[in-house]
Amino acid sequence: MAEPATATQAAAPVVALLKDELDIVIPTIRNLDFLEMWRPFFQPYHLIIVQDGDPSKTIKVPEGFDYELYNRNDINRILGPKASCISFKDSACRCFGYMVSKKKYIFTIDDDCFVAKDPSGKAINALEQHIKNLLSPSTPFFYNTLYDPFREGADFVRGYPFSLREGVPTAASHGLWLNIPDYDAPTQLVKPLERNTRYVDAVLTIPKGTLFPMCGMNLAFNRELIGPAMYFGLMGDGQPIGRYDDMWAGWCTKVICDHLGLGVKTGLPYIFHSKASNPFVNLRKEYKGIYWQEEIIPFFQQAVLPKDCTTVQKCYIELAKQVKEKLSKVDPYFDKLADAMVTWIEAWDELNPTGPVPNGKAA
């Protein structure tokens, strides 16, 4: 059975890569005691904590961490009427942290995620692996059978086109989980005791034209390349759906990355997911999404962005327009979501007035 690393195992000295260029974003409703385990890896970095739920509750953060904390009152004060695009009573509120950050890179993690161990028993520095993934190119246009050719001990295999070996910039790094798998409610109900103990030592570029179910609990991305697309939608309080926030962001991000010639990686690093959420509560949140995704996913698979969409913001506004045109017939919720997508971009640009986010070459 997989077990998390102990604080002693995680305590070896580490080199903090990009410590002045990366923010760690954590959504929470509770005291952040879990940071003690991550201290050797996280303490050199700046944390952005987004407090969900009751803003009068005090969230305790262990001493020694450099952080800023935002609750719902802060979100309303900073965004004004545009705060309507930030979800309430749902971890989707984390995307507010992406918006207020001024760093190039973001790593986001849930507060029930602990330090995992690799097969040798060594504590895994998840953040370090994410950074390695982001700083090396992706290869979305041709699949390399040795997985990520830029990892140590790997390369491009025979037959890989030399014209594609330079790769493209990596916009996002999607990590995985040991112990509690990221299952939907029906799968949780039929496999209540299932645990993931398989550690697969691999990083893959997700091919162009292929969507994936992005999980937000162990995720890093280049904010300058793809930040405005990382909107986690309208979920939680007052909404007919939950637990699709990260997947919505993933589908939007992947379509835009494919259009702009950017890459997305998945695989390492692993974290230890400590706690299974209630499958009956999850089913209540997910059940409409389980039906809707059978139309949402074909929508994203068929989405085409015009050539004049040369920035992430332009791509996202165009995607919002297509959501309104094509998904509103599924449910009126998507009309509201499309409007929130536009509001999100307006709020992003107000807080980040340096101009459009740079990107790769349009494909």
PDB file of all heavy atoms in Angstrom, residues 269-294:
ATOM      1  N   PRO A 269       5.219  14.791 -12.044  1.00  0.00           N
ATOM      2  CA  PRO A 269       5.468  14.154 -10.754  1.00  0.00           C
ATOM      3  C   PRO A 269       4.209  13.597 -10.095  1.00  0.00           C
ATOM      4  O   PRO A 269       3.095  14.015 -10.397  1.00  0.00           O
ATOM      5  CB  PRO A 269       6.005  15.317  -9.919  1.00  0.00           C
ATOM      6  CG  PRO A 269       5.210  16.491 -10.424  1.00  0.00           C
ATOM      7  CD  PRO A 269       5.071  16.265 -11.904  1.00  0.00           C
ATOM      8  N   TYR A 270       4.427  12.666  -9.164  1.00  0.00           N
ATOM      9  CA  TYR A 270       3.345  12.154  -8.335  1.00  0.00           C
ATOM     10  C   TYR A 270       3.285  12.905  -7.007  1.00  0.00           C
ATOM     11  O   TYR A 270       4.308  13.307  -6.458  1.00  0.00           O
ATOM     12  CB  TYR A 270       3.570  10.677  -8.016  1.00  0.00           C
ATOM     13  CG  TYR A 270       3.240   9.745  -9.155  1.00  0.00           C
ATOM     14  CD1 TYR A 270       4.211   9.375 -10.087  1.00  0.00           C
ATOM     15  CD2 TYR A 270       1.964   9.205  -9.297  1.00  0.00           C
ATOM     16  CE1 TYR A 270       3.918   8.505 -11.126  1.00  0.00           C
ATOM     17  CE2 TYR A 270       1.657   8.331 -10.320  1.00  0.00           C
ATOM     18  CZ  TYR A 270       2.635   7.980 -11.240  1.00  0.00           C
ATOM     19  OH  TYR A 270       2.335   7.128 -12.263  1.00  0.00           O
ATOM     20  N   ILE A 271       2.058  13.068  -6.505  1.00  0.00           N
ATOM     21  CA  ILE A 271       1.835  13.463  -5.116  1.00  0.00           C
ATOM     22  C   ILE A 271       1.048  12.328  -4.456  1.00  0.00           C
ATOM     23  O   ILE A 271       0.553  11.417  -5.132  1.00  0.00           O
ATOM     24  CB  ILE A 271       1.083  14.812  -4.991  1.00  0.00           C
ATOM     25  CG1 ILE A 271      -0.193  14.840  -5.848  1.00  0.00           C
ATOM     26  CG2 ILE A 271       2.002  15.950  -5.389  1.00  0.00           C
ATOM     27  CD1 ILE A 271      -1.391  14.242  -5.246  1.00  0.00           C
ATOM     28  N   PHE A 272       0.916  12.351  -3.138  1.00  0.00           N
ATOM     29  CA  PHE A 272       0.136  11.362  -2.399  1.00  0.00           C
ATOM     30  C   PHE A 272      -1.201  11.998  -2.051  1.00  0.00           C
ATOM     31  O   PHE A 272      -1.266  12.918  -1.231  1.00  0.00           O
ATOM     32  CB  PHE A 272       0.881  10.939  -1.125  1.00  0.00           C
ATOM     33  CG  PHE A 272       0.196   9.848  -0.338  1.00  0.00           C
ATOM     34  CD1 PHE A 272       0.500   8.516  -0.559  1.00  0.00           C
ATOM     35  CD2 PHE A 272      -0.755  10.158   0.632  1.00  0.00           C
ATOM     36  CE1 PHE A 272      -0.129   7.503   0.171  1.00  0.00           C
ATOM     37  CE2 PHE A 272      -1.387   9.162   1.361  1.00  0.00           C
ATOM     38  CZ  PHE A 272      -1.075   7.836   1.125  1.00  0.00           C
ATOM     39  N   HIS A 273      -2.257  11.529  -2.715  1.00  0.00           N
ATOM     40  CA  HIS A 273      -3.602  12.070  -2.482  1.00  0.00           C
ATOM     41  C   HIS A 273      -4.186  11.348  -1.282  1.00  0.00           C
ATOM     42  O   HIS A 273      -4.502  10.160  -1.341  1.00  0.00           O
ATOM     43  CB  HIS A 273      -4.464  11.873  -3.729  1.00  0.00           C
ATOM     44  CG  HIS A 273      -5.801  12.539  -3.655  1.00  0.00           C
ATOM     45  ND1 HIS A 273      -6.890  12.121  -4.382  1.00  0.00           N
ATOM     46  CD2 HIS A 273      -6.229  13.597  -2.917  1.00  0.00           C
ATOM     47  CE1 HIS A 273      -7.926  12.896  -4.108  1.00  0.00           C
ATOM     48  NE2 HIS A 273      -7.545  13.798  -3.225  1.00  0.00           N
ATOM     49  N   SER A 274      -4.362  12.074  -0.169  1.00  0.00           N
ATOM     50  CA  SER A 274      -4.604  11.417   1.115  1.00  0.00           C
ATOM     51  C   SER A 274      -6.052  11.074   1.415  1.00  0.00           C
ATOM     52  O   SER A 274      -6.321  10.173   2.208  1.00  0.00           O
ATOM     53  CB  SER A 274      -4.074  12.317   2.244  1.00  0.00           C
ATOM     54  OG  SER A 274      -4.827  13.517   2.324  1.00  0.00           O
ATOM     55  N   LYS A 275      -6.988  11.766   0.781  1.00  0.00           N
ATOM     56  CA  LYS A 275      -8.366  11.669   1.275  1.00  0.00           C
ATOM     57  C   LYS A 275      -9.349  11.520   0.125  1.00  0.00           C
ATOM     58  O   LYS A 275      -9.353  12.335  -0.804  1.00  0.00           O
ATOM     59  CB  LYS A 275      -8.689  12.926   2.091  1.00  0.00           C
ATOM     60  CG  LYS A 275      -9.998  12.889   2.846  1.00  0.00           C
ATOM     61  CD  LYS A 275     -10.189  14.176   3.644  1.00  0.00           C
ATOM     62  CE  LYS A 275     -10.311  15.332   2.706  1.00  0.00           C
ATOM     63  NZ  LYS A 275     -10.636  16.605   3.210  1.00  0.00           N
ATOM     64  N   ALA A 276     -10.213  10.498   0.194  1.00  0.00           N
ATOM     65  CA  ALA A 276     -11.262  10.329  -0.804  1.00  0.00           C
ATOM     66  C   ALA A 276     -12.466  11.186  -0.426  1.00  0.00           C
ATOM     67  O   ALA A 276     -12.916  11.171   0.715  1.00  0.00           O
ATOM     68  CB  ALA A 276     -11.680   8.866  -0.900  1.00  0.00           C
ATOM     69  N   SER A 277     -12.985  11.959  -1.373  1.00  0.00           N
ATOM     70  CA  SER A 277     -14.189  12.743  -1.107  1.00  0.00           C
ATOM     71  C   SER A 277     -15.421  11.837  -1.172  1.00  0.00           C
ATOM     72  O   SER A 277     -15.375  10.736  -1.735  1.00  0.00           O
ATOM     73  CB  SER A 277     -14.298  13.899  -2.101  1.00  0.00           C
ATOM     74  OG  SER A 277     -14.064  13.452  -3.422  1.00  0.00           O
ATOM     75  N   ASN A 278     -16.510  12.296  -0.600  1.00  0.00           N
ATOM     76  CA  ASN A 278     -17.731  11.492  -0.494  1.00  0.00           C
ATOM     77  C   ASN A 278     -18.338  11.254  -1.882  1.00  0.00           C
ATOM     78  O   ASN A 278     -18.708  12.216  -2.566  1.00  0.00           O
ATOM     79  CB  ASN A 278     -18.728  12.233   0.404  1.00  0.00           C
ATOM     80  CG  ASN A 278     -19.975  11.432   0.687  1.00  0.00           C
ATOM     81  OD1 ASN A 278     -20.600  10.912  -0.226  1.00  0.00           O
ATOM     82  ND2 ASN A 278     -20.345  11.354   1.953  1.00  0.00           N
ATOM     83  N   PRO A 279     -18.463   9.988  -2.319  1.00  0.00           N
ATOM     84  CA  PRO A 279     -18.955   9.726  -3.674  1.00  0.00           C
ATOM     85  C   PRO A 279     -20.403  10.157  -3.894  1.00  0.00           C
ATOM     86  O   PRO A 279     -20.783  10.504  -5.009  1.00  0.00           O
ATOM     87  CB  PRO A 279     -18.799   8.207  -3.832  1.00  0.00           C
ATOM     88  CG  PRO A 279     -18.729   7.672  -2.446  1.00  0.00           C
ATOM     89  CD  PRO A 279     -18.102   8.749  -1.615  1.00  0.00           C
ATOM     90  N   PHE A 280     -21.221  10.157  -2.830  1.00  0.00           N
ATOM     91  CA  PHE A 280     -22.623  10.566  -2.973  1.00  0.00           C
ATOM     92  C   PHE A 280     -22.728  12.082  -3.157  1.00  0.00           C
ATOM     93  O   PHE A 280     -23.508  12.575  -3.969  1.00  0.00           O
ATOM     94  CB  PHE A 280     -23.445  10.088  -1.776  1.00  0.00           C
ATOM     95  CG  PHE A 280     -23.510   8.595  -1.663  1.00  0.00           C
ATOM     96  CD1 PHE A 280     -22.686   7.923  -0.772  1.00  0.00           C
ATOM     97  CD2 PHE A 280     -24.355   7.854  -2.469  1.00  0.00           C
ATOM     98  CE1 PHE A 280     -22.732   6.539  -0.679  1.00  0.00           C
ATOM     99  CE2 PHE A 280     -24.408   6.470  -2.391  1.00  0.00           C
ATOM    100  CZ  PHE A 280     -23.583   5.807  -1.492  1.00  0.00           C
ATOM    101  N   VAL A 281     -21.913  12.817  -2.408  1.00  0.00           N
ATOM    102  CA  VAL A 281     -21.837  14.269  -2.603  1.00  0.00           C
ATOM    103  C   VAL A 281     -21.292  14.565  -4.000  1.00  0.00           C
ATOM    104  O   VAL A 281     -21.796  15.439  -4.721  1.00  0.00           O
ATOM    105  CB  VAL A 281     -20.944  14.916  -1.523  1.00  0.00           C
ATOM    106  CG1 VAL A 281     -20.721  16.397  -1.822  1.00  0.00           C
ATOM    107  CG2 VAL A 281     -21.565  14.741  -0.140  1.00  0.00           C
ATOM    108  N   ASN A 282     -20.268  13.817  -4.398  1.00  0.00           N
ATOM    109  CA  ASN A 282     -19.672  14.013  -5.724  1.00  0.00           C
ATOM    110  C   ASN A 282     -20.685  13.741  -6.838  1.00  0.00           C
ATOM    111  O   ASN A 282     -20.723  14.460  -7.841  1.00  0.00           O
ATOM    112  CB  ASN A 282     -18.455  13.113  -5.910  1.00  0.00           C
ATOM    113  CG  ASN A 282     -17.281  13.550  -5.053  1.00  0.00           C
ATOM    114  OD1 ASN A 282     -17.283  14.646  -4.499  1.00  0.00           O
ATOM    115  ND2 ASN A 282     -16.285  12.697  -4.942  1.00  0.00           N
ATOM    116  N   LEU A 283     -21.503  12.710  -6.651  1.00  0.00           N
ATOM    117  CA  LEU A 283     -22.492  12.368  -7.675  1.00  0.00           C
ATOM    118  C   LEU A 283     -23.503  13.499  -7.850  1.00  0.00           C
ATOM    119  O   LEU A 283     -23.904  13.830  -8.976  1.00  0.00           O
ATOM    120  CB  LEU A 283     -23.204  11.072  -7.298  1.00  0.00           C
ATOM    121  CG  LEU A 283     -24.174  10.519  -8.348  1.00  0.00           C
ATOM    122  CD1 LEU A 283     -23.450  10.196  -9.647  1.00  0.00           C
ATOM    123  CD2 LEU A 283     -24.879   9.271  -7.817  1.00  0.00           C
ATOM    124  N   ARG A 284     -23.894  14.099  -6.731  1.00  0.00           N
ATOM    125  CA  ARG A 284     -24.833  15.218  -6.807  1.00  0.00           C
ATOM    126  C   ARG A 284     -24.215  16.384  -7.588  1.00  0.00           C
ATOM    127  O   ARG A 284     -24.890  17.064  -8.354  1.00  0.00           O
ATOM    128  CB  ARG A 284     -25.228  15.652  -5.391  1.00  0.00           C
ATOM    129  CG  ARG A 284     -26.395  16.620  -5.344  1.00  0.00           C
ATOM    130  CD  ARG A 284     -26.983  16.744  -3.951  1.00  0.00           C
ATOM    131  NE  ARG A 284     -26.043  17.334  -3.007  1.00  0.00           N
ATOM    132  CZ  ARG A 284     -25.571  16.713  -1.931  1.00  0.00           C
ATOM    133  NH1 ARG A 284     -25.932  15.472  -1.676  1.00  0.00           N
ATOM    134  NH2 ARG A 284     -24.737  17.320  -1.121  1.00  0.00           N
ATOM    135  N   LYS A 285     -22.919  16.602  -7.406  1.00  0.00           N
ATOM    136  CA  LYS A 285     -22.242  17.681  -8.124  1.00  0.00           C
ATOM    137  C   LYS A 285     -22.021  17.339  -9.594  1.00  0.00           C
ATOM    138  O   LYS A 285     -22.081  18.204 -10.462  1.00  0.00           O
ATOM    139  CB  LYS A 285     -20.875  17.961  -7.481  1.00  0.00           C
ATOM    140  CG  LYS A 285     -20.933  18.522  -6.075  1.00  0.00           C
ATOM    141  CD  LYS A 285     -19.512  18.690  -5.518  1.00  0.00           C
ATOM    142  CE  LYS A 285     -19.518  19.259  -4.109  1.00  0.00           C
ATOM    143  NZ  LYS A 285     -18.133  19.373  -3.576  1.00  0.00           N
ATOM    144  N   GLU A 286     -21.767  16.072  -9.870  1.00  0.00           N
ATOM    145  CA  GLU A 286     -21.290  15.669 -11.201  1.00  0.00           C
ATOM    146  C   GLU A 286     -22.375  15.225 -12.170  1.00  0.00           C
ATOM    147  O   GLU A 286     -22.127  15.189 -13.379  1.00  0.00           O
ATOM    148  CB  GLU A 286     -20.327  14.474 -11.076  1.00  0.00           C
ATOM    149  CG  GLU A 286     -18.992  14.763 -10.479  1.00  0.00           C
ATOM    150  CD  GLU A 286     -18.187  13.478 -10.292  1.00  0.00           C
ATOM    151  OE1 GLU A 286     -18.677  12.386 -10.656  1.00  0.00           O
ATOM    152  OE2 GLU A 286     -17.076  13.568  -9.779  1.00  0.00           O
ATOM    153  N   TYR A 287     -23.550  14.847 -11.660  1.00  0.00           N
ATOM    154  CA  TYR A 287     -24.433  14.043 -12.505  1.00  0.00           C
ATOM    155  C   TYR A 287     -24.814  14.740 -13.801  1.00  0.00           C
ATOM    156  O   TYR A 287     -24.896  14.100 -14.860  1.00  0.00           O
ATOM    157  CB  TYR A 287     -25.664  13.553 -11.727  1.00  0.00           C
ATOM    158  CG  TYR A 287     -26.761  14.563 -11.530  1.00  0.00           C
ATOM    159  CD1 TYR A 287     -27.854  14.609 -12.395  1.00  0.00           C
ATOM    160  CD2 TYR A 287     -26.731  15.458 -10.466  1.00  0.00           C
ATOM    161  CE1 TYR A 287     -28.874  15.531 -12.202  1.00  0.00           C
ATOM    162  CE2 TYR A 287     -27.749  16.379 -10.275  1.00  0.00           C
ATOM    163  CZ  TYR A 287     -28.807  16.414 -11.147  1.00  0.00           C
ATOM    164  OH  TYR A 287     -29.815  17.333 -10.972  1.00  0.00           O
ATOM    165  N   LYS A 288     -25.023  16.058 -13.774  1.00  0.00           N
ATOM    166  CA  LYS A 288     -25.330  16.753 -15.024  1.00  0.00           C
ATOM    167  C   LYS A 288     -24.121  16.766 -15.947  1.00  0.00           C
ATOM    168  O   LYS A 288     -24.246  16.599 -17.160  1.00  0.00           O
ATOM    169  CB  LYS A 288     -25.805  18.183 -14.741  1.00  0.00           C
ATOM    170  CG  LYS A 288     -27.199  18.238 -14.142  1.00  0.00           C
ATOM    171  CD  LYS A 288     -27.744  19.647 -14.087  1.00  0.00           C
ATOM    172  CE  LYS A 288     -29.173  19.635 -13.577  1.00  0.00           C
ATOM    173  NZ  LYS A 288     -29.763  20.990 -13.513  1.00  0.00           N
ATOM    174  N   GLY A 289     -22.945  16.951 -15.361  1.00  0.00           N
ATOM    175  CA  GLY A 289     -21.726  16.952 -16.162  1.00  0.00           C
ATOM    176  C   GLY A 289     -21.475  15.626 -16.848  1.00  0.00           C
ATOM    177  O   GLY A 289     -20.954  15.584 -17.972  1.00  0.00           O
ATOM    178  N   ILE A 290     -21.858  14.529 -16.185  1.00  0.00           N
ATOM    179  CA  ILE A 290     -21.662  13.203 -16.781  1.00  0.00           C
ATOM    180  C   ILE A 290     -22.478  13.078 -18.064  1.00  0.00           C
ATOM    181  O   ILE A 290     -22.025  12.488 -19.053  1.00  0.00           O
ATOM    182  CB  ILE A 290     -22.017  12.103 -15.754  1.00  0.00           C
ATOM    183  CG1 ILE A 290     -20.968  12.087 -14.633  1.00  0.00           C
ATOM    184  CG2 ILE A 290     -22.113  10.737 -16.430  1.00  0.00           C
ATOM    185  CD1 ILE A 290     -21.346  11.237 -13.442  1.00  0.00           C
ATOM    186  N   TYR A 291     -23.688  13.663 -18.062  1.00  0.00           N
ATOM    187  CA  TYR A 291     -24.486  13.699 -19.293  1.00  0.00           C
ATOM    188  C   TYR A 291     -23.921  14.727 -20.268  1.00  0.00           C
ATOM    189  O   TYR A 291     -23.726  14.448 -21.456  1.00  0.00           O
ATOM    190  CB  TYR A 291     -25.944  14.063 -18.976  1.00  0.00           C
ATOM    191  CG  TYR A 291     -26.735  12.948 -18.327  1.00  0.00           C
ATOM    192  CD1 TYR A 291     -27.099  13.022 -16.985  1.00  0.00           C
ATOM    193  CD2 TYR A 291     -27.136  11.818 -19.053  1.00  0.00           C
ATOM    194  CE1 TYR A 291     -27.820  12.013 -16.380  1.00  0.00           C
ATOM    195  CE2 TYR A 291     -27.863  10.800 -18.450  1.00  0.00           C
ATOM    196  CZ  TYR A 291     -28.200  10.899 -17.115  1.00  0.00           C
ATOM    197  OH  TYR A 291     -28.912   9.899 -16.531  1.00  0.00           O
ATOM    198  N   TRP A 292     -23.659  15.904 -19.774  1.00  0.00           N
ATOM    199  CA  TRP A 292     -23.249  17.014 -20.643  1.00  0.00           C
ATOM    200  C   TRP A 292     -21.920  16.754 -21.339  1.00  0.00           C
ATOM    201  O   TRP A 292     -21.710  17.206 -22.464  1.00  0.00           O
ATOM    202  CB  TRP A 292     -23.157  18.310 -19.837  1.00  0.00           C
ATOM    203  CG  TRP A 292     -24.453  18.855 -19.355  1.00  0.00           C
ATOM    204  CD1 TRP A 292     -25.709  18.454 -19.735  1.00  0.00           C
ATOM    205  CD2 TRP A 292     -24.648  19.896 -18.385  1.00  0.00           C
ATOM    206  NE1 TRP A 292     -26.663  19.178 -19.068  1.00  0.00           N
ATOM    207  CE2 TRP A 292     -26.045  20.069 -18.243  1.00  0.00           C
ATOM    208  CE3 TRP A 292     -23.790  20.689 -17.649  1.00  0.00           C
ATOM    209  CZ2 TRP A 292     -26.585  21.024 -17.377  1.00  0.00           C
ATOM    210  CZ3 TRP A 292     -24.324  21.631 -16.780  1.00  0.00           C
ATOM    211  CH2 TRP A 292     -25.709  21.798 -16.637  1.00  0.00           C
ATOM    212  N   GLN A 293     -21.011  16.033 -20.678  1.00  0.00           N
ATOM    213  CA  GLN A 293     -19.681  15.873 -21.270  1.00  0.00           C
ATOM    214  C   GLN A 293     -19.734  15.112 -22.597  1.00  0.00           C
ATOM    215  O   GLN A 293     -18.831  15.245 -23.425  1.00  0.00           O
ATOM    216  CB  GLN A 293     -18.720  15.199 -20.297  1.00  0.00           C
ATOM    217  CG  GLN A 293     -18.969  13.735 -20.048  1.00  0.00           C
ATOM    218  CD  GLN A 293     -18.029  13.177 -18.974  1.00  0.00           C
ATOM    219  OE1 GLN A 293     -17.443  13.912 -18.192  1.00  0.00           O
ATOM    220  NE2 GLN A 293     -17.900  11.863 -18.934  1.00  0.00           N
ATOM    221  N   GLU A 294     -20.796  14.344 -22.807  1.00  0.00           N
ATOM    222  CA  GLU A 294     -20.924  13.629 -24.084  1.00  0.00           C
ATOM    223  C   GLU A 294     -21.177  14.592 -25.243  1.00  0.00           C
ATOM    224  O   GLU A 294     -20.993  14.240 -26.407  1.00  0.00           O
ATOM    225  CB  GLU A 294     -22.047  12.586 -24.004  1.00  0.00           C
ATOM    226  CG  GLU A 294     -21.834  11.537 -22.910  1.00  0.00           C
ATOM    227  CD  GLU A 294     -20.477  10.836 -22.990  1.00  0.00           C
ATOM    228  OE1 GLU A 294     -20.036  10.504 -24.103  1.00  0.00           O
ATOM    229  OE2 GLU A 294     -19.857  10.634 -21.927  1.00  0.00           O
TER     230      GLU A 294
END
